[in-house]
Amino acid sequence: LWPDLTDPADQLSVESVTSRYYIRVTVDDRPGVFARISSILGDRGISISSVLQKEPEEETENRAVPVVITTHLTTEGRVVSALEEIDSESFCAKPGIYINIIDEHEESI
């Protein structure tokens, strides 16, 4: 409003923004895959809030299923790093996506 009367604001890098995140990965439906995903997230200090995995629509040998994960507070840099590793795994059917979750302020609840 009055640029000459206020100190400049510090802008955070995108990698350091703290939020909860929605992550969706499409992976092969086989034993051990989710354990590996949770290990990759855990190695980066990302805590899982919830997980949803639907059953594959048809019984075939190469079944890929979406896994939706929501996290507790973490940084975008950690999420990007984890997704890069998950995407490089042999069980990953297509690249994962993430979206930050914007929670309501306490005052408006």
Side-chain angles (χ1 to χ4, degrees), residues 22-54:
Y22 165 99
I23 299 171
R24 186 183 72 220
V25 292
T26 303
V27 297
D28 295 341
D29 185 29
R30 63 179 194 229
V33 169
F34 186 72
R36 181 69 183 126
I37 292 169
S38 61
S39 175
I40 291 169
L41 295 173
D43 289 346
R44 285 159 181 80
I46 299 172
S47 179
I48 296 172
S49 174
S50 68
V51 176
L52 174 66
Q53 177 182 336
K54 294 193 175 190

Side-chain angles (χ1 to χ4, degrees), residues 4 6 11 15 25 27 32 34 36 40 45 55 58 60 63 69 72 74 83-84 91:
D4 56 330
T6 58
Q11 185 171 355
E15 295 82 20
V25 292
V27 297
F34 186 72
R36 181 69 183 126
I40 291 169
E55 291 188 35
E58 52 188 63
T60 61
R63 300 176 290 190
I69 300 166
H72 290 285
T74 190
L83 274 179
E84 286 173 352
F91 58 74

Side-chain angles (χ1 to χ4, degrees), residues 33-105:
V33 169
F34 186 72
R36 181 69 183 126
I37 292 169
S38 61
S39 175
I40 291 169
L41 295 173
D43 289 346
R44 285 159 181 80
I46 299 172
S47 179
I48 296 172
S49 174
S50 68
V51 176
L52 174 66
Q53 177 182 336
K54 294 193 175 190
E55 291 188 35
E57 292 181 11
E58 52 188 63
E59 290 294 322
T60 61
E61 192 172 317
N62 296 328
R63 300 176 290 190
V65 294
V67 176
V68 175
I69 300 166
T70 57
T71 72
H72 290 285
L73 287 176
T74 190
T75 64
E76 186 166 345
R78 290 178 180 181
V79 172
V80 169
S81 173
L83 274 179
E84 286 173 352
E85 185 171 348
I86 292 168
D87 289 348
S88 72
E89 293 283 342
S90 63
F91 58 74
C92 190
K94 52 176 136 169
I97 64 158
Y98 70 96
I99 302 170
N100 66 327
I101 298 171
I102 301 174
D103 292 315
E104 291 188 60
H105 266 231

Side-chain angles (χ1 to χ4, degrees), residues 9-19 21 74-78:
D10 292 329
Q11 185 171 355
L12 295 173
S13 67
V14 173
E15 295 82 20
S16 66
V17 172
T18 302
S19 182
Y21 287 87
T74 190
T75 64
E76 186 166 345
R78 290 178 180 181

